[in-house]
Amino acid sequence: MATYKPVVVQTFPKLGERITQDTVYWRGYKTPVQIKEFGAVNKIDFSTVPPYNYAVTASSRIHIYGRYSQEPIKTFSRFKDAAYCATYRDDGNLLVAGSEEGSIRLFDVGGRAPLRQFDGHTKPVHVVGFLSDKYRIFSGGDDYSSALWDIPSATEIISYSEHTDYVRCGCASKVNADVFITGSYDHTVKLFDARTKSSVMTIEHGQPVESVLLFPSGGLLVSAGGRYVKVWDVLKGGQLLVSLKNHHKTVTCLCLNSSGQRLLSGSLDRHVKIYSTTSYKVVHSFNYATSILSLALSPEDETLVVGMTNGVLNVKHRKPEERKEKSQMKRQPAYRPYVKGRTYMPKQEDFCVSKPVKRVLRKYDKLLKSFQSSKALDAVLEPPIRLYTPEVTVAVMQELHRRGTLRSALAGRDEKQINLLLTFVARRVIEPRFTPILVTVADMITDIYQPVVGQSAIVDRQFLKLQEAIGKEIDYQEELLEVLGMMDTLFATFTKKRATYLEENKSNGLIETIETITN
């Protein structure tokens, strides 16, 4: 009796992903470290001085983490309710944060108790930050107002009440110490100058503004709200340069890399998109487990931290290149024993001992070997095979069809199994690599279960989906044939023109020859 030959699963070429320098660079991060916070992470801010610690604001606490620490090295918890927007000063010595009760607290990174408390807002303060002179603080709250505060005297310098909805984001200019920007749920972004009593510029974003970002040069402003990320030219009076719509849900946070050549945006659709600031095209993307509320890059792009709605902090560190080279150097000697003798050719006097290779059959092969066609089909309709390796399912169907037992394997199934089969066929029949065998399967299923049509709403719905999928594919093929006909006509026209041109040249050459002979 001949030995059983396993089912041959046909392999198809896969479309290769385009590998760019950005792909290589952004994939150069280690496996992320997950840190659980007490609540949704609404703000992450890196210190601009070594060792580049970062502050995480979640629930009623502010945690300070070292670059490689998984436990907070310091905690500020002097808040009765939620804390918001903890932000470092440029020298890394002070930290300011808003709160749910409407007060603003200033902390010394080396201490625990607040150095100053600024009271003036009547509702929660979601936006705080330092101006570039380091001695003033700007803020924005749910009372529709934004204000400027003096740190030494702990007093309010000026207050603006120009927004008509919650003020939820803001940033300060690094070029001009008097300029700061706020974004509001009233769809506007306003630019304020501390030397004036009103805003100097208003930009209409068109959606509730969740985040704003000013380029280091101070000339370009980025606003995020709804599904849009928009770039504005401040020097031209707030002219819109580009509008990006690459997310499927609300964009919640923005960030620039250290060189300013890449813009990062996080969204509730669980993705972080990375744009080039020259072409504003997406050059890379990260996918996360849940919706993203905040993100930050360390000053040297060595660490990427993302905060999510479920309170998880995702920290990625860049792989050091030097250590990688050293580790490769260490592994090289250990590889020699494995390749030793691989190229040895036996001589005539050598006695070769062959070790029999034990072939392990898969579940569907064992069932096919024992002629259990129906169970073999059930085995390849399991979710891991059906969803991730459909070519295996189709290969078994093809083998059953070759044996002539496909019809019997499809027959005698209940409502749930018919639904599963029709779902698979309707989904995969339009793929050219599977079409020949799945069209045969669809015909057999229709012939076998035609008498029971109308008895089950679920089965009827799947038959309609199959009909719709095949109908769309036929229409698509007809359109392609029309396009092919147009192309054939064009190619035929080009060919005729070229042939005519060649004939003219030949005739001209013949006339010239005759004239030469005559002369």
Side-chain angles (χ1 to χ4, degrees):
M1 182 178 176
T3 57
Y4 173 77
K5 294 181 180 180
V7 174
V8 178
V9 179
Q10 189 176 356
T11 56
F12 298 91
K14 294 182 180 180
L15 293 176
E17 183 183 357
R18 186 183 176 187
I19 303 297
T20 62
Q21 290 184 352
D22 281 285
T23 306
V24 175
Y25 179 83
W26 293 105
R27 280 184 177 177
Y29 285 92
K30 298 178 184 177
T31 305
V33 176
Q34 307 276 358
I35 302 173
K36 188 72 173 79
E37 286 288 340
F38 291 95
V41 181
N42 63 73
K43 177 69 174 180
I44 303 166
D45 191 60
F46 271 92
S47 172
T48 56
V49 296
Y52 305 124
N53 296 336
Y54 57 94
V56 177
T57 312
S59 185
S60 60
R61 301 184 183 188
I62 301 170
H63 287 155
I64 307 295
Y65 289 91
R67 190 190 294 187
Y68 299 105
S69 65
Q70 297 185 24
E71 295 292 333
I73 57 178
K74 197 171 191 62
T75 301
F76 299 101
S77 56
R78 301 295 180 93
F79 296 92
K80 296 178 182 178
D81 210 328
Y84 299 112
C85 198
T87 307
Y88 274 104
R89 197 166 71 172
D90 286 343
D91 58 8
N93 293 326
L94 295 181
L95 193 72
V96 66
S99 64
E100 183 71 23
E101 57 260 33
S103 61
I104 303 165
R105 290 180 173 84
L106 182 70
F107 296 93
D108 183 356
V109 175
R112 288 192 177 275
L115 296 177
R116 296 280 190 276
Q117 181 166 322
F118 306 90
D119 296 311
H121 288 282
T122 57
K123 288 188 177 180
V125 179
H126 284 263
V127 186
V128 286
F130 292 93
L131 294 185
S132 56
D133 63 4
K134 302 179 184 178
Y135 299 109
R136 287 177 293 176
I137 294 170
F138 71 90
S139 64
D142 287 356
D143 56 1
Y144 310 165
S145 70
S146 50
L148 207 60
W149 310 84
D150 182 58
I151 294 176
S153 60
T155 57
E156 182 182 285
I157 299 172
I158 190 171
S159 179
Y160 304 94
S161 299
E162 298 189 18
H163 286 293
T164 58
D165 208 332
Y166 299 155
V167 182
R168 288 296 175 91
C169 56
C171 63
S173 172
K174 296 186 182 298
V175 178
N176 192 326
D178 294 308
V179 174
F180 68 96
I181 295 167
T182 58
S184 169
Y185 280 5
D186 64 3
H187 301 188
T188 63
V189 177
K190 291 186 181 289
L191 188 145
F192 295 96
D193 192 320
R195 296 163 292 189
T196 63
K197 295 183 178 180
S198 61
S199 62
V200 295
M201 187 185 297
T202 300
I203 296 172
E204 183 68 34
H205 179 80
Q207 299 282 340
V209 184
E210 297 284 351
S211 182
V212 290
L213 180 68
L214 199 60
F215 274 64
S217 63
L220 295 179
L221 171 69
V222 187
S223 62
R227 295 168 57 190
Y228 295 90
V229 176
K230 297 184 179 182
V231 184
W232 313 84
D233 191 337
V234 178
L235 302 179
K236 290 186 178 180
Q239 179 183 345
L240 179 64
L241 294 181
V242 64
S243 179
L244 307 171
K245 191 180 178 182
N246 297 98
H247 288 282
H248 302 297
K249 292 185 180 180
T250 301
V251 182
T252 55
C253 48
L254 297 168
C255 175
L256 275 174
N257 74 334
S258 57
S259 64
Q261 295 180 352
R262 295 294 179 264
L263 172 68
L264 286 76
S265 65
S267 169
L268 296 179
D269 64 4
R270 304 183 295 107
H271 286 85
V272 171
K273 304 283 185 183
I274 303 168
Y275 309 87
S276 167
T277 53
T278 53
S279 63
Y280 292 105
K281 292 183 179 179
V282 177
V283 295
H284 195 68
S285 179
F286 289 112
N287 189 13
Y288 289 86
T290 55
S291 300
I292 297 166
L293 285 182
S294 55
L295 68 91
L297 261 176
S298 64
E300 296 178 349
D301 297 346
E302 195 274 337
T303 306
L304 173 64
V305 186
V306 172
M308 291 172 273
T309 53
N310 61 353
V312 172
L313 202 64
N314 187 291
V315 185
K316 290 182 178 180
H317 297 288
R318 177 160 288 284
K319 299 173 184 176
E321 296 180 2
E322 295 180 358
R323 294 180 186 174
K324 188 176 180 181
E325 291 176 2
K326 289 179 182 178
S327 62
Q328 286 180 351
M329 292 295 290
K330 289 179 182 177
R331 290 192 188 118
Q332 283 177 358
Y335 184 65
R336 290 174 187 168
Y338 295 99
V339 297
K340 188 176 181 181
R342 287 283 181 90
T343 57
Y344 178 78
M345 296 297 293
K347 297 176 182 178
Q348 189 173 1
E349 60 271 14
D350 289 340
F351 179 75
C352 298
V353 179
S354 60
K355 184 179 179 182
V357 179
K358 186 178 180 182
R359 182 176 291 175
V360 180
L361 297 177
R362 297 187 178 274
K363 183 180 179 181
Y364 56 84
D365 276 319
K366 292 178 180 177
L367 293 168
L368 285 173
K369 186 179 179 181
S370 58
F371 303 101
Q372 300 182 51
S373 304
S374 185
K375 289 185 178 179
L377 186 58
D378 291 339
V380 293
L381 286 173
E382 293 292 327
I385 299 178
R386 184 182 78 245
L387 298 176
Y388 302 110
T389 54
E391 58 274 8
V392 175
T393 305
V394 175
V396 170
M397 288 179 174
Q398 196 163 4
E399 175 65 18
L400 292 173
H401 182 57
R402 188 188 67 80
R403 293 184 178 191
T405 57
L406 179 59
R407 192 179 187 87
S408 61
L410 294 171
R413 295 181 174 271
D414 57 18
E415 181 185 57
K416 186 177 179 182
Q417 293 174 328
I418 299 171
N419 180 36
L420 194 66
L421 267 171
L422 287 172
T423 303
F424 177 80
V425 173
R427 184 179 178 185
R428 300 291 181 179
V429 72
I430 59 175
E431 295 187 31
R433 54 180 181 165
F434 300 146
T435 301
I437 183 62
L438 289 185
V439 167
T440 305
V441 173
D443 286 340
M444 288 187 180
I445 293 174
T446 307
D447 290 341
I448 295 169
Y449 296 103
Q450 188 176 2
V452 299
V453 172
Q455 298 180 12
S456 169
I458 297 174
V459 175
D460 293 348
R461 195 182 307 118
Q462 292 301 328
F463 271 116
L464 290 173
K465 286 184 179 179
L466 178 60
Q467 182 185 5
E468 183 182 358
I470 294 174
K472 285 183 178 178
E473 183 65 18
I474 292 171
D475 294 340
Y476 180 60
Q477 295 288 345
E478 288 177 353
E479 291 178 6
L480 287 177
L481 287 172
E482 290 177 7
V483 174
L484 189 61
M486 296 176 190
M487 293 173 68
D488 287 340
T489 307
L490 290 173
F491 292 149
T493 306
F494 293 151
T495 307
K496 286 180 182 178
K497 284 183 178 179
R498 188 177 179 185
T500 307
Y501 176 72
L502 290 172
E503 286 176 4
E504 287 178 359
N505 287 344
K506 287 179 181 178
S507 61
N508 291 337
L510 183 61
I511 291 166
E512 290 172 1
T513 306
I514 293 170
E515 287 178 355
T516 305
I517 295 170
T518 307
N519 293 332

